Amino acid sequence: MAVDHIALWNEQHEAANRQKQIRNDGKSFWEDPANIRRFVDRLLNGDRSRIVDQIAAMQIPPGSTVLDIGAGPGTLAVPLALSGCDVTVVEPSAGMRAAMKEYREIAGAPEIREIPSRWEDADPAEVGTHDVVVASFSLALDDIGPSLKKIDSAAKRSVHLFWFLTPPAWTRANFSLWPRLHGSEFAAEPTADLLWNCLCQLGIYPDLTVEDVEKGQRYPTEGEAVADYCRRLYVRDDRQREIVTSFVHERIVQTNAGFCIPGVSKTAHIRWEK
């Protein structure tokens, strides 16, 4: 019997999403003012090598119309607008849209059209069609089959999807820490190999490029690293905080660029031409 990759993706995504809903007490990571401030600061002052590499890999000509799905604080949308592209974003988080506006204004980028919606709920007539469609680490989508078809339909020339091929550093920490903190196994989002198979199941046969990520998130202090891991792991009491503090302290190293927990992970650039 053939594997139903779309059903497998949906099953894994639903388990990960259900786990977050149980633990986050209705609070959104993306609406937390402290997290919004960190996103903007990292975009303005942090290492931009990954962003530069993504832009270079897509080779989008100036003047192209670009749709950025789940644009967050404008990580790619603002540089693309600065490069001369006409950018539209679909971004449900008001906090992330505010961060993008601040980032865009400081960077001196032109206006970016915003559609305040989840991709699954966005009206195709409002979205329209664009030369290029981009989704960068924003593919935790419900019912992946229709969502991918909608992405394909919105593109006139090409699609570029970036997603995790192996779990990033903070997710690897979850596999170790989640059972100790919350008494259950950690449910991770599905990875890019399954995404590629979902596309093939839909009759889309994309190219896939593997990209190594050798550096994790940088923090100005060890305390900032502990605080970030506590937020991502939904730490609620002193016992849990002590577990995370010990975990970070045992692994963190200091470099010229700040503190980080070292490790290598892999991401995928999945792309196809129309």
Side-chain angles (χ1 to χ4, degrees), residues 118-178:
R118 297 193 319 150
W119 177 245
E120 300 93 318
D121 303 326
D123 180 358
E126 182 182 10
V127 170
T129 57
H130 305 261
D131 295 326
V132 181
V133 176
V134 176
S136 179
F137 304 103
S138 57
L139 289 165
L141 301 170
D142 296 339
D143 203 354
I144 195 67
S147 292
L148 290 173
K149 288 180 181 178
K150 194 173 176 181
I151 287 173
D152 185 60
S153 296
K156 292 188 282 189
R157 192 167 70 219
S158 62
V159 178
H160 298 268
L161 309 179
F162 296 91
W163 193 241
F164 305 102
L165 187 58
T166 61
W170 64 84
T171 302
R172 291 198 300 275
N174 290 0
F175 286 112
S176 170
L177 289 170
W178 195 272

Side-chain angles (χ1 to χ4, degrees), residues 28-48 50-51 70-76 78-79 91 93-104 106 136-138 164 170 217-220 224 228 231-232:
S28 172
F29 178 86
W30 308 107
E31 303 296 347
D32 184 334
N35 291 335
I36 294 167
R37 183 75 262 143
R38 288 185 189 90
F39 278 116
V40 175
D41 288 344
R42 287 170 187 170
L43 287 169
L44 293 172
N45 305 309
D47 181 2
R48 298 178 55 81
R50 191 193 79 182
I51 299 169
T75 305
L76 293 181
V78 169
E91 172 53 56
S93 165
M96 288 296 99
R97 295 194 305 274
M100 179 166 51
K101 181 176 185 293
E102 179 181 349
Y103 177 32
R104 179 183 62 78
I106 292 173
S136 179
F137 304 103
S138 57
F164 305 102
W170 64 84
Q217 179 63 53
R218 295 296 198 269
Y219 302 94
E224 282 288 323
D228 190 38
R231 282 188 293 272
R232 293 180 183 276

Side-chain angles (χ1 to χ4, degrees), residues 163-169 171-172 191-193 211 264-268:
W163 193 241
F164 305 102
L165 187 58
T166 61
T171 302
R172 291 198 300 275
T191 47
D193 51 340
E211 300 163 342
V264 177
S265 60
K266 295 182 185 294
T267 62

